[in-house]
Amino acid sequence: MYLNRNNRHSLNSPSILSELGSTGQRTRKSAGSGCPGEKVSDYSSSSRRAGVSEDRKEQPEWLVRELLKQNKRRHSVTLGDKAQIMRQHHDQSIDPIQSLEIDEKISLDNLHKLKLAFEEFETGCLRTIDAKNFGRIVKTCLGFPQTSNAQIQGLFKKIDYSGQGRISWGEFCTHMLQEYKEKEETARRSKQVAFTLPATMKTLCHSIPTINIHSTHDGTIITVREDGAVCYWSPELKPQKTKHMFNEGPANRKSKWASDFTLMTEYNKLMIGTGDREIQLYELSTLEPYCQINTLDTVPLTLDYGCPGLDKCCILYGDTEGCVNIILVSSVGDTFRLWNKLPKIENMPNITIDNAVLSPSVTFVRWKIHQDWVTQVKYLPSFQAVISSSNEEASSVVMGCVLPLTDAEQQLSEIREACYESKTKKDQLSWTPQLRASYDQTVFTICKGVKTFDLCQKHSLLVTGGMDRLIRMWNPHFSGKPTGILKGHSAPVMYLCISSEDSQIFSVSIDCTVKIWDIQYQCCLFTADPKATGIHGDISACLYSPAMKSLYTAADCMAVLSLKIRPQLHSRLNVSHNEPVMCCGYSEEFRQVVSCTEGSVVKVWDFDTGRQVFEFGGTHDLSAITCVTFDPKGRRLITGGRDGCLKIWNFNNGQCLKTLKKDSECHEVCDCIFLKVHRNSYVMSVGRDRKIDIYSDIPEDPHHIQRPQPSWQDDQKNGHKEDILCVTHCPPSLVATSSYNGEIIVWNVISGRIQTRFVSPLPAERQNVEGLDTSVPSMIFLKNSKLQQFSSATALLSSGAMGCVNIWKVLNGGKFVRSFKASKFQQKITKLAKTDKDTLYAADRIGYIYIYDMETFDLDAERKPPRAKKFWRAHTSRVTGLQIVDSDLVVLTSSMDFTVRLWSAHGEFIGAFGQSESWSVHISSSWMHPAVPYEVLIDPLSMPDHEILRVRTRLPDAINPDKTEADVKEFKSETHPTLTLPPTSISDGDIEED
């Protein structure tokens, strides 16, 4: 929200109503009544934009060339690049604050003034306020004199979704709260992630726990079991190598168990801590024994390794006495080679810790930190510190210095020299644990202690988890209070990892539940329970690999959960959604486009610019949205879903106003319409339950859940026998429904009786073909004044088999007139639409759109079928939405290829909703035309379609001027009754043969 602090009116000003009275005369002429003023504003702004465009055309060519060098060109060379430069300069000249909507500029102070104004109306016995007074209040209270009447009336209509003409303070607040809530949800959804479920698992043929998991730079996964078995896995968990480290040596040697392990990748070493108080080093590539440090004072429960500098390393481990033990080694290569030459014990070169610390290159420090076992320890090279945790509340997490720090500079210098220079250290063999000074460490006190933690320098973030099931977020430098608490786990948290690149936290609890959290919004993005993942048993080790985007777990089996990676679209592709678009619609009231997806996300777009205005949905309780329609006023959105429910929305703030559903089992809704019968309004839906459901539309009804009216008797007894795919309305009283088996029923909505019934015919050449798709996914009614000479002026057009469109007479018993092939490539027509002048648009399954002029067409079966005036490829996948906006002469389309696009009535590409460049519907120079969508351009089915490419002709025929293109097509249709898709390429042999 933009907070405008420069308020021109104080709260101590006289009555706001008196101010309104004084300003009423000044604003009466400009306020208008809403809609007329809005249209005038739109036309005037369009005129200004057109004027700017004309002026910019006079720029010198050298300036245009220089600007083109600084801007990335589109995928095809078009005349639109110059217009693009003009638009960019025009956009840059707009004040970003002035371009904000009213509700984005309201501050808390302004909101308080509005509340006082509404309260004064209430004291005047007026509980609500009309549009005229609302406009005056906004201009007076908010101090936005430059705000247009169209903007104010637009906000009023968003709040007054039912069209009552009045709003209350409560409705205003509800709109504002819901809008900002959905905007936060949109930001959260943009970060949405998910694992591919179920997990990929590899069954283990033993019951020995895995103590830890690590990965190498090349993605190899390494696990070590308690019995010392080291296993190498591919990132997909394919076993590569296994070796039992403790089985070598004398047969009578007592058994060992491993406590933890880590990798020293800089020195190609694998380090294992054992229950015999040893730290063993192995060659990482061959797993051959290298050396070991034994006779440690305690068992190393948890290990870590760090590299504080060139040719230096830090080996640290936590033990059972709550101590953090640090072994600092300088001249690592020489020191390790020296240890490798020592006498062997049980086939491994051995050195005791007492002898190791006598070396001038080794320093040993033992800090007494906790009063309980150390659960985890880490070396932090960026902080030059060590952090450890335990189950003790008083010192759950402690982050402190590596070496003792004192105020005496001389003592500090001696300690550093003792660590990294050649001085004898016989006097340093003190095994008594040291206590850090309070200013040398930061202590975090956490209820029930900490089992796991992680720290990220990029976000300056420490996260902790433990027995109380909470994940706490801390500033690592301040231990007073956590900066955030993440709640959601129902069992103790045993693993945490911060992914700094993605700003996410991965957590695993002991009940095998995995969660992904967002750091910025401190919310859970994804939860995978054991039933979904398939992971079972006691989890003993986890690892999240940022490089592989995968989480590895070891329980009864090895498992990997991989993040779903969104397909990386080409940089030239403009998508409107991140998933298939199922439907779209246009609201003339707000001049907005609404598109809905398979993931139940609803996006609202500005029709005039193509920019996104709002977004909502995508929550877990919503299923895929399959159809959409608007109420007659265009202020409410009705959506149908796969869960069998319909929802009515205020789509300007994402508020679900009502849910329409049956008491019985719900099946997928395939289509829905809004219709008026006499003075009553209804929502009608059809779908997989093979019945027609009718719901009364009563906006003032307080019940959120609404049930359908009793079904028609004819529908119950003689209705469809297959899934109903489509419903269309012919005012005032006819409704047609179509089903999967090709049956069409025309109903009288007043009586609920069947008017007539049709069965879609099959093409003559396909009468006996099995498995032919006879479904009817789209229908429209066609009324033409020139049809009055026939017995009926109403015709029904429906999609048929093999890309055909069937034409029916509806009244007087009904009759099949004829069919014509609407799809050039015999693909199913998925959507039909028409203009006010009865121009037919048909879209097929592979993304083509065809235009047919039906104005001169009558129902005489002897006439020739209509021919396509024009066709073009709009999408690379099935067209799911097709709507004609007659007032602007444009075509709106949506598709399964993730896009929603706008075209001129003749197929010129205006743009894709969501693209970076905005357009103006009425300024053709702002369109993408003559460019085409990049994916359409490169798709094989978009190859140029010409007779010379598809028909083999003899040379005399090719050069015969008397043979027209129509003759060639007629000849082709006679000799090749089966149409095929255009070829993707032409060989040299074909050219020579022709």
Side-chain angles (χ1 to χ4, degrees):
M1 181 189 295
Y2 169 70
L3 299 179
N4 185 1
R5 300 298 184 188
N6 300 322
N7 295 319
R8 300 180 181 179
H9 306 277
S10 65
L11 296 178
N12 298 322
S13 62
S15 169
I16 294 176
L17 292 181
S18 63
E19 289 186 21
L20 294 179
S22 63
T23 59
Q25 298 298 326
R26 295 194 305 268
T27 60
R28 186 171 290 116
K29 292 182 179 180
S30 60
S33 59
C35 295
E38 182 179 14
K39 291 183 179 179
V40 170
S41 175
D42 287 342
Y43 283 120
S44 62
S45 62
S46 298
S47 301
R48 288 194 299 272
R49 288 194 296 267
V52 170
S53 179
E54 293 297 328
D55 294 340
R56 297 283 171 90
K57 288 182 179 179
E58 302 302 326
Q59 293 183 8
E61 292 187 4
W62 66 267
L63 177 58
V64 174
R65 286 195 299 270
E66 290 301 319
L67 292 174
L68 281 174
K69 293 177 182 178
Q70 302 173 17
N71 289 274
K72 185 176 180 181
R73 295 297 298 270
R74 289 202 297 268
H75 56 265
S76 60
V77 180
T78 73
L79 301 177
D81 288 314
K82 187 174 180 180
Q84 174 186 342
I85 299 169
M86 299 174 187
R87 291 197 306 275
Q88 289 177 347
H89 282 271
H90 174 66
D91 294 340
Q92 291 171 0
S93 64
I94 297 175
D95 183 1
I97 301 303
Q98 294 296 331
S99 64
L100 292 175
E101 295 293 335
I102 300 175
D103 43 2
E104 294 177 317
K105 297 189 286 186
I106 296 177
S107 67
L108 294 178
D109 293 338
N110 293 336
L111 207 57
H112 184 66
K113 287 186 177 183
L114 281 174
K115 182 176 183 295
L116 292 178
F118 272 92
E119 287 177 350
E120 289 189 24
F121 269 94
E122 290 185 2
T123 57
C125 300
L126 295 172
R127 295 292 178 182
T128 56
I129 187 171
D130 60 11
K132 186 176 180 180
N133 285 319
F134 177 76
R136 294 178 180 177
I137 283 180
V138 168
K139 287 194 173 184
T140 303
C141 298
L142 303 186
F144 301 151
Q146 302 301 323
T147 302
S148 67
N149 294 327
Q151 285 182 304
I152 297 174
Q153 296 305 317
L155 176 60
F156 182 88
K157 288 187 288 187
K158 290 179 182 180
I159 303 171
D160 181 29
Y161 59 84
S162 59
Q164 300 296 319
R166 307 186 69 88
I167 62 172
S168 65
W169 172 247
E171 290 172 334
F172 179 85
C173 292
T174 299
H175 171 81
M176 297 293 293
L177 288 172
Q178 184 70 29
E179 184 178 16
Y180 288 116
K181 175 186 174 183
E182 289 298 335
K183 286 182 178 179
E184 288 185 2
E185 181 67 19
T186 298
R188 184 197 67 82
R189 186 164 48 248
S190 66
K191 301 174 178 290
Q192 192 69 45
V193 293
F195 284 118
T196 301
L197 300 176
T200 301
M201 288 181 283
K202 180 65 177 179
T203 305
L204 302 176
C205 56
H206 56 78
S207 58
I208 303 172
T210 298
I211 58 172
N212 211 337
I213 307 173
H214 286 285
S215 65
T216 61
H217 295 309
D218 62 356
T220 301
I221 305 301
I222 301 177
T223 62
V224 175
R225 301 198 314 242
E226 275 191 359
D227 61 354
V230 179
C231 302
Y232 282 32
W233 311 79
S234 70
E236 298 78 22
L237 290 187
K238 295 180 180 178
Q240 294 181 336
K241 180 169 59 174
T242 300
K243 185 175 182 180
H244 291 266
M245 315 305 290
F246 300 158
N247 289 350
E248 298 180 359
N252 58 353
R253 186 183 69 176
K254 64 179 182 178
S255 60
K256 291 185 179 182
W257 57 274
S259 57
D260 196 10
F261 89 99
T262 188
L263 303 180
M264 305 174 67
T265 53
E266 289 85 356
Y267 302 100
N268 192 38
K269 299 292 185 292
L270 181 144
M271 180 167 57
I272 299 177
T274 73
D276 289 350
R277 297 181 296 168
E278 299 168 339
I279 295 178
Q280 297 184 340
L281 300 180
Y282 297 87
E283 292 286 358
L284 185 59
S285 54
T286 62
L287 294 181
E288 292 297 321
Y290 191 81
C291 65
Q292 72 175 5
I293 305 172
N294 65 354
T295 65
L296 302 177
D297 198 53
T298 53
V299 175
L301 293 178
T302 176
L303 286 172
D304 196 35
Y305 157 81
C307 189
L310 184 62
D311 203 22
K312 297 177 182 179
C313 76
C314 175
I315 300 172
L316 65 155
Y317 62 92
D319 58 27
T320 56
E321 296 181 1
C323 294
V324 174
N325 304 268
I326 304 171
I327 304 175
L328 295 169
V329 183
S330 61
S331 303
V332 179
D334 294 337
T335 303
F336 282 0
R337 280 191 291 270
L338 180 62
W339 290 354
N340 182 249
K341 303 300 182 181
L342 295 175
K344 295 183 179 180
I345 296 179
E346 296 181 350
N347 199 34
M348 180 173 283
N350 182 80
I351 185 173
T352 63
I353 187 64
D354 295 342
N355 293 330
V357 299
L358 292 177
S359 170
S361 60
V362 177
T363 297
F364 181 79
V365 181
R366 192 174 190 216
W367 295 111
K368 177 63 177 177
I369 306 294
H370 309 281
Q371 302 301 321
D372 200 348
W373 288 11
V374 178
T375 56
Q376 190 177 354
V377 65
K378 278 190 177 182
Y379 175 73
L380 308 173
S382 57
F383 292 89
Q384 289 294 308
V386 172
I387 183 169
S388 59
S389 64
S390 75
N391 290 321
E392 176 200 6
E393 289 190 15
S395 58
S396 301
V397 175
V398 178
M399 185 171 67
C401 59
V402 177
L403 296 174
L405 300 177
T406 65
D407 294 333
E409 185 66 23
Q410 182 62 32
Q411 294 182 16
L412 180 60
S413 176
E414 291 177 359
I415 292 174
R416 287 176 176 168
E417 291 177 358
C419 293
Y420 297 117
E421 295 186 9
S422 301
K423 295 187 72 175
T424 59
K425 297 185 287 181
K426 295 183 180 179
D427 57 338
Q428 297 182 17
L429 294 180
S430 174
W431 295 104
T432 304
Q434 303 181 50
L435 295 175
R436 285 199 193 104
S438 59
Y439 51 79
D440 287 344
Q441 64 183 15
T442 303
V443 179
F444 297 82
T445 301
I446 301 171
C447 178
K448 297 184 180 180
V450 169
K451 294 181 68 68
T452 180
F453 66 84
D454 197 15
L455 192 140
C456 174
Q457 181 187 13
K458 176 181 176 181
H459 295 91
S460 189
L461 175 66
L462 169 69
V463 292
T464 61
M467 295 298 295
D468 65 353
R469 301 166 294 177
L470 302 177
I471 299 173
R472 292 175 172 84
M473 305 171 67
W474 307 81
N475 184 322
H477 303 289
F478 303 98
S479 59
K481 288 185 178 180
T483 58
I485 298 179
L486 307 179
K487 302 177 181 180
H489 279 290
S490 56
V493 180
M494 53 87 60
Y495 178 77
L496 287 171
C497 179
I498 300 174
S499 176
S500 58
E501 293 181 359
D502 303 318
S503 298
Q504 294 167 354
I505 301 171
F506 293 81
S507 63
V508 182
S509 56
I510 61 175
D511 63 350
C512 302
T513 299
V514 180
K515 288 181 177 287
I516 307 175
W517 311 81
D518 182 73
I519 293 177
Q520 179 182 358
Y521 293 96
Q522 298 185 8
C523 61
C524 182
L525 301 177
F526 183 77
T527 300
D529 55 33
K531 185 176 181 181
T533 61
I535 300 173
H536 52 83
D538 297 329
I539 295 182
S540 58
C542 296
L543 170 73
Y544 175 72
S545 172
M548 304 306 300
K549 301 289 185 183
S550 300
L551 177 71
Y552 298 87
T553 63
D556 290 350
C557 58
M558 281 292 296
V560 55
L561 286 166
S562 301
L563 287 177
K564 288 182 179 179
I565 305 299
R566 289 177 179 174
Q568 296 296 320
L569 299 174
H570 195 283
S571 59
R572 291 171 174 171
L573 302 186
N574 293 310
V575 295
S576 309
H577 290 267
N578 293 319
E579 53 200 354
V581 184
M582 304 297 290
C583 49
C584 68
Y586 170 69
S587 169
E588 187 176 359
E589 181 75 6
F590 296 106
R591 289 186 68 81
Q592 290 176 342
V593 171
V594 175
S595 56
C596 309
T597 71
E598 199 171 50
S600 74
V601 173
V602 180
K603 286 189 177 183
V604 183
W605 310 90
D606 181 15
F607 173 78
D608 291 300
T609 63
R611 296 191 180 278
Q612 182 174 329
V613 177
F614 194 63
E615 176 183 340
F616 64 94
T619 54
H620 296 294
D621 59 330
L622 297 177
S623 64
I625 297 175
T626 54
C627 56
V628 64
T629 189
F630 291 92
D631 70 349
K633 295 181 179 179
R635 299 192 186 183
R636 290 177 296 154
L637 179 74
I638 298 96
T639 61
R642 285 189 182 151
D643 58 355
C645 299
L646 292 102
K647 292 181 181 289
I648 302 179
W649 306 86
N650 179 351
F651 60 91
N652 284 291
N653 63 12
Q655 180 185 5
C656 182
L657 306 173
K658 279 189 181 180
T659 299
L660 315 178
K661 66 177 181 179
K662 293 183 176 182
D663 285 323
S664 58
E665 181 183 1
C666 295
H667 299 273
E668 177 181 338
V669 176
C670 295
D671 199 6
C672 62
I673 57 172
F674 199 103
L675 67 158
K676 293 197 72 171
V677 181
H678 301 310
R679 295 184 178 180
N680 301 319
S681 299
Y682 301 93
V683 177
M684 177 180 289
S685 68
V686 296
R688 304 290 182 186
D689 58 358
R690 306 175 183 180
K691 300 295 179 185
I692 299 173
D693 295 319
I694 303 175
Y695 302 85
S696 297
D697 178 54
I698 308 175
E700 59 272 15
D701 186 357
H703 299 92
H704 181 75
I705 305 295
Q706 186 173 332
R707 307 300 179 187
Q709 294 185 350
S711 300
W712 294 332
Q713 292 295 323
D714 256 14
D715 186 25
Q716 292 180 350
K717 296 179 181 179
N718 305 311
H720 289 281
K721 307 305 181 195
E722 288 289 339
D723 300 346
I724 306 177
L725 303 181
C726 177
V727 58
T728 186
H729 182 216
C730 178
S733 59
L734 293 184
V735 164
T737 56
S738 61
S739 62
Y740 185 77
N741 61 355
E743 184 181 43
I744 299 172
I745 300 178
V746 181
W747 307 79
N748 186 313
V749 295
I750 299 176
S751 63
R753 299 282 185 178
I754 295 177
Q755 184 93 8
T756 185
R757 188 190 300 263
F758 303 125
V759 177
S760 299
L762 298 178
E765 67 273 15
R766 298 282 178 152
Q767 289 288 340
N768 300 320
V769 176
E770 294 184 2
L772 190 64
D773 183 5
T774 60
S775 62
V776 184
S778 185
M779 298 181 297
I780 57 169
F781 280 100
L782 189 66
K783 281 191 172 184
N784 193 322
S785 58
K786 296 184 179 181
L787 301 180
Q788 297 294 342
Q789 56 182 310
F790 301 98
S791 58
S792 169
T794 302
L796 178 68
L797 276 65
S798 64
S799 54
M802 298 183 63
C804 292
V805 169
N806 299 321
I807 306 175
W808 316 80
K809 286 183 180 179
V810 175
L811 302 180
N812 299 327
K815 177 185 177 183
F816 172 69
V817 177
R818 66 173 306 122
S819 67
F820 64 93
K821 292 181 178 179
S823 172
K824 191 176 184 66
F825 310 116
Q826 298 187 358
Q827 297 295 312
K828 171 70 71 175
I829 298 296
T830 58
K831 288 295 176 181
L832 292 169
K834 69 179 183 67
T835 65
D836 292 338
K837 296 183 179 180
D838 291 325
T839 299
L840 177 68
Y841 286 77
D844 67 14
R845 190 163 46 190
I846 59 175
Y848 278 91
I849 294 178
Y850 305 86
I851 305 177
Y852 292 88
D853 186 4
M854 306 295 291
E855 188 177 7
T856 59
F857 178 73
D858 56 36
L859 300 184
D860 186 356
E862 296 180 0
R863 295 285 185 93
K864 290 184 178 181
R867 301 182 64 177
K869 295 195 305 181
K870 187 178 181 62
F871 72 97
W872 74 93
R873 188 88 184 274
H875 297 275
T876 58
S877 188
R878 179 166 63 93
V879 176
T880 58
L882 177 65
Q883 185 166 346
I884 315 301
V885 183
D886 285 291
S887 58
D888 297 275
L889 299 177
V890 297
V891 181
L892 172 68
T893 63
S894 65
S895 171
M896 298 293 285
D897 63 4
F898 302 8
T899 60
V900 183
R901 292 181 176 138
L902 201 63
W903 312 82
S904 73
H906 304 292
E908 298 164 314
F909 183 39
I910 297 177
F913 288 92
Q915 68 182 30
S916 58
E917 304 169 6
S918 61
W919 66 69
S920 176
V921 171
H922 301 292
I923 301 177
S924 58
S925 62
S926 69
W927 299 353
M928 300 295 289
H929 179 78
V932 298
Y934 179 74
E935 59 269 40
V936 172
L937 185 68
I938 65 174
D939 192 86
L941 294 184
S942 302
M943 291 290 291
D945 180 47
H946 194 273
E947 297 301 328
I948 198 66
L949 302 178
R950 297 189 292 116
V951 179
R952 295 175 183 268
T953 60
R954 294 173 298 164
L955 185 59
D957 294 336
I959 62 176
N960 186 359
D962 298 328
K963 207 157 199 174
T964 63
E965 183 180 359
D967 295 331
V968 174
K969 288 186 177 180
E970 249 182 20
F971 170 75
K972 178 176 178 289
S973 62
E974 292 173 2
T975 55
H976 302 278
T978 303
L979 295 176
T980 58
L981 296 180
T984 58
S985 62
I986 302 174
S987 66
D988 294 337
D990 293 335
I991 297 175
E992 292 176 1
E993 187 176 344
D994 289 338

